[in-house]
Amino acid sequence: MNKYLLVLVAFLSVSISFSQTDPQPLSSENYQTVERLEILSGSLKNDLHYSMRPLTRKVITDYALFVDTATTMLLTEQDQYNLRHIFLDNNDLVPDSHFEESRRPVLKYFYKRPAHLLDVHTEDFSLQVNPIFYGNLSYDNENAEGYGYINTRGADIRATIDDVVSVYTTLTENQVIFPEFIDDLADSLRIVPGKGFYQRDGDEFDYFEPKGGISVNATKHINVALGYDKHFIGDGYRSLMLSENSNNAAFLKLNTKFWKINYTNLYQELAKEGTQGPDTLVGKKYMVSHHLSFDATDWLNVGVFESIIFNRQNQFEFHYLNPVIFYRAMEQQVGSPDNVVIGFNYSALVKNRLKLYGQLVLDEFSIEDVRQGDSWANKFAFQQGATYVNAFGVKQLDLQAEVNRVRPYTYQHRNLVTNYTGYGQALAHPLGANFTEAIAMARYQPFNKLRLHGMVTYADYGRDPDDRSWGGDIINKTFRDRPFDNGVETGQGFDNKSLNIQGLATYELKHNLNLDFQGVYKNLDAERNPNYNNIHVGASIRWNFGAYDYNY
């Protein structure tokens, strides 16, 4: 498969003449800025389509420039500061009038502008190079050593050649002692959650995290990207369609944007399972999906999603390369052996203060099973959430609430390979299936450089009391292992009640250089051990890197 993708990208790159299209990292705080400002505007901008991420740096920067010149929006000092943050991150895409070069660059060549260690601009070439560092030291009440730490070093590099081809690469090398509940989860998955292969020395996890890609414009409205990275579909904190929960994966993405439509085709090569062997070739499987996002009105966006997980012996299923076909119909033509997931999402802006959003996912949809209600084959998931900016009249206070519910056996299939997983992790929600979850978040930016973030997550989920599948474990079980066909209820099996509370205070010392104080409380009341009452509190210095999210 890979050789065909490389030929395609090489062919397209010969005939293009458009500007930078590399992605804004999913962990960037710029997404929070863009979402907040779109809600405040009360109107969707057809070029944005926030539900399909990562967005390109150009899309984010163009929206920031639009807001910066809008005469109808009254921005606070913090909003203006956050806009400038976007401009500094993407200085190659904004007019020079938005900032000045440093009067005292380091050794004449470094930090000529505040955001980048090395920033080169010529007529036909641009280059930005930045170091990555994340140093953390924490107290942990359940860790045998009584402490935890994060030691991450790396580099982020992006370049554009002839205003034609954009490339990016990020590589980090990490040594981490996690909170005890993350430690146990990594042991059970045999991989670091959200990451991949690791080596272990006592309580310390040692792993690399690479990602990167190449992106080109085939036409004014069609973008092609080839890389190794993550994707996210939806407007919520969680996604029930596709999220960043699993490891990075090889992908080819076609994005077509015109009028009020954003249409994305995503072809991914996934690992069948996680592995502990550095010299062991990981088995492959494939995922093809498309997502259509449509701005139905200036305040309502709706989306349709369809995905197929499949595996063939030593080959790709070329029937699925057609970018406009209905995968369910084609799956039936080739014998219907594959796992089909379809979904719908929406977001609605209300009175310049509120965004309502939601998702509905159907797995192997059957009208008869839906009518019966308690059938094992009634497999669906739904999400409903809301984001409220400047809550209760308090400027820069943004609140978010979200509920996720996934029926048993959703995402499971006839065999482990075609379950909705990649590299031994769920492709959507980290709990897999058979759960109900409620999330409440608050973000507050009282000063330009200070951000406060708090989150409470409560989940009630069922786990298997025996070797049969009760519908929650989508990594190690299939729906063929079920104990009964009817009387299926969400949360069945051994009951687990999980409470996760996180608090994060971030002070920006310099651009993208942050001082963090972070606390995590994890309580798990389970019918089957282990139980947790884990407190993890620490301080960090982060440079060009996102804060670690412990919400598992």
Side-chain angles (χ1 to χ4, degrees):
M1 174 187 171
N2 290 340
K3 64 181 179 181
Y4 296 102
L5 303 186
L6 291 172
V7 169
L8 176 61
V9 172
F11 171 77
L12 289 172
S13 64
V14 174
S15 58
I16 50 180
S17 57
F18 302 94
S19 60
Q20 297 87 331
T21 54
D22 50 302
Q24 185 83 65
L26 284 172
S27 61
S28 173
E29 292 176 343
N30 292 338
Y31 285 106
Q32 297 173 16
T33 300
V34 166
E35 181 183 32
R36 170 183 161 81
L37 293 175
E38 185 178 51
I39 295 172
L40 284 172
S41 75
S43 177
L44 299 172
K45 194 167 189 300
N46 298 145
D47 289 338
L48 193 57
H49 292 274
Y50 184 82
S51 62
M52 187 70 205
R53 287 170 272 163
L55 301 173
T56 67
R57 291 192 303 112
K58 179 169 174 53
V59 165
I60 285 180
T61 305
D62 284 352
Y63 186 76
L65 288 169
F66 164 76
V67 171
D68 192 46
T69 58
T71 58
T72 57
M73 293 184 64
L74 298 176
L75 302 181
T76 66
E77 181 182 344
Q78 291 92 324
D79 288 329
Q80 293 172 344
Y81 179 86
N82 295 337
L83 282 177
R84 177 175 168 79
H85 196 283
I86 293 176
F87 298 148
L88 289 173
D89 276 350
N90 306 288
N91 57 38
D92 51 324
L93 298 174
V94 298
D96 290 339
S97 59
H98 280 72
F99 43 80
E100 297 179 357
E101 290 195 358
S102 173
R103 297 178 181 177
R104 294 181 293 177
V106 178
L107 299 178
K108 295 184 180 180
Y109 299 102
F110 302 106
Y111 287 109
K112 287 186 175 181
R113 291 176 177 174
H116 306 297
L117 172 69
L118 181 62
D119 193 356
V120 177
H121 290 278
T122 68
E123 183 177 350
D124 53 10
F125 175 72
S126 69
L127 172 70
Q128 291 82 36
V129 179
N130 285 299
I132 290 173
F133 177 74
Y134 193 168
N136 165 276
L137 185 62
S138 304
Y139 160 78
D140 191 283
N141 71 318
E142 291 204 354
N143 187 287
E145 302 294 335
Y147 65 89
Y149 59 75
I150 299 173
N151 179 20
T152 294
R153 296 91 55 221
D156 177 77
I157 304 171
R158 65 176 190 248
T160 302
I161 304 172
D162 294 330
D163 276 337
V164 168
V165 179
S166 294
V167 297
Y168 73 99
T169 184
T170 300
L171 177 64
T172 61
E173 208 269 333
N174 310 267
Q175 289 84 39
V176 184
I177 294 181
F178 291 108
E180 188 67 17
F181 69 95
I182 301 287
D183 189 294
D184 289 348
L185 180 60
D187 281 343
S188 66
L189 293 173
R190 296 183 297 148
I191 48 182
V192 175
K195 317 296 180 183
F197 169 77
Y198 67 82
Q199 293 177 313
R200 186 163 183 175
D201 181 10
D203 290 330
E204 181 186 88
F205 291 82
D206 192 334
Y207 60 94
F208 286 101
E209 186 175 10
K211 64 179 180 178
I214 180 172
S215 180
V216 299
N217 281 321
T219 73
K220 181 179 180 181
H221 300 289
I222 301 176
N223 173 256
V224 181
L226 176 68
Y228 182 74
D229 210 332
K230 299 183 180 186
H231 299 84
F232 189 98
I233 298 177
D235 293 82
Y237 171 72
R238 305 286 200 194
S239 175
L240 304 181
M241 297 179 180
L242 180 64
S243 77
E244 78 279 36
N245 181 65
S246 185
N247 192 16
N248 296 315
F251 71 89
L252 170 69
K253 182 168 70 173
L254 310 179
N255 182 250
T256 304
K257 187 181 297 184
F258 62 93
W259 187 45
K260 300 181 178 183
I261 289 174
N262 186 73
Y263 184 64
T264 303
N265 297 93
L266 187 62
Y267 307 90
Q268 291 182 277
E269 183 178 83
L270 306 173
K272 289 182 182 177
E273 58 185 12
T275 179
Q276 285 286 0
D279 299 320
T280 302
L281 182 64
V282 178
K284 304 296 191 299
K285 65 179 187 179
Y286 301 93
M287 175 180 176
V288 293
S289 57
H290 55 229
H291 181 261
L292 174 66
S293 173
F294 175 58
D295 287 342
T297 70
D298 62 356
W299 56 269
L300 175 65
N301 173 271
V302 293
V304 181
F305 171 76
E306 187 179 25
S307 182
I308 294 269
I309 296 284
F310 67 95
N311 175 249
R312 302 289 185 270
Q313 187 66 33
N314 300 321
Q315 73 176 58
F316 182 83
E317 183 58 73
F318 285 91
H319 292 84
Y320 294 143
L321 283 178
N322 191 321
V324 293
I325 204 165
F326 286 101
Y327 291 139
R328 176 58 174 166
M330 181 53 65
E331 185 239 10
Q332 292 177 333
Q333 294 297 315
V334 300
S336 194
D338 305 322
N339 188 7
V340 181
V341 175
I342 61 175
F344 309 90
N345 66 281
Y346 85 96
S347 65
L349 305 182
V350 182
K351 295 185 179 299
N352 305 86
R353 285 289 183 272
L354 189 67
K355 177 164 81 169
L356 304 177
Y357 62 86
Q359 295 183 353
L360 174 65
V361 172
L362 305 175
D363 187 1
E364 307 290 347
F365 178 71
S366 167
I367 290 291
E368 292 183 3
D369 293 320
V370 171
R371 287 174 178 171
Q372 187 169 340
D374 64 351
S375 167
W376 74 272
N378 184 15
K379 302 189 293 179
F380 69 88
F382 74 84
Q383 174 189 91
Q384 181 57 57
T387 300
Y388 180 23
V389 299
N390 291 342
F392 309 112
V394 180
K395 293 182 179 180
Q396 301 303 136
L397 174 63
D398 300 342
L399 304 179
Q400 185 173 354
E402 180 175 302
V403 175
N404 298 291
R405 185 178 177 89
V406 181
R407 284 269 300 171
Y409 305 108
T410 307
Y411 307 120
Q412 284 189 349
H413 203 239
R414 295 182 179 89
N415 59 72
L416 296 179
V417 176
T418 51
N419 281 359
Y420 202 67
T421 61
Y423 214 102
Q425 299 170 91
L427 290 172
H429 196 287
L431 287 178
N434 194 22
F435 70 87
T436 301
E437 177 189 56
I439 303 172
M441 287 184 284
R443 299 185 184 93
Y444 185 45
Q445 189 177 2
F447 311 109
N448 288 348
K449 292 178 175 291
L450 179 63
R451 293 174 182 260
L452 306 176
H453 182 205
M455 176 165 52
V456 178
T457 301
Y458 177 79
D460 189 341
Y461 59 96
R463 286 298 177 256
D464 301 345
D466 49 41
D467 292 337
R468 296 172 296 178
S469 173
W470 292 67
D473 184 356
I474 70 173
I475 309 298
N476 304 302
K477 303 285 182 66
T478 73
F479 60 57
R480 288 181 171 180
D481 303 323
R482 63 188 181 273
F484 40 77
D485 290 344
N486 298 310
V488 173
E489 298 179 349
T490 302
Q492 66 183 17
F494 276 152
D495 186 42
N496 292 259
K497 291 180 170 56
S498 172
L499 176 66
N500 188 303
I501 302 174
Q502 294 190 65
L504 174 66
T506 297
Y507 185 81
E508 191 173 40
L509 301 169
K510 293 287 187 180
H511 186 84
N512 285 336
L513 176 63
N514 297 295
L515 173 64
D516 291 345
F517 295 95
Q518 188 171 21
V520 183
Y521 173 70
K522 169 74 171 186
N523 177 269
L524 176 62
D525 183 8
E527 286 190 47
R528 174 181 289 180
N529 288 332
N531 289 315
Y532 297 104
N533 197 30
N534 202 170
I535 298 173
H536 190 87
V537 181
S540 309
I541 291 287
R542 287 186 295 115
W543 196 10
N544 299 308
F545 204 69
Y548 202 94
D549 187 350
Y550 296 99
N551 197 9
Y552 289 93

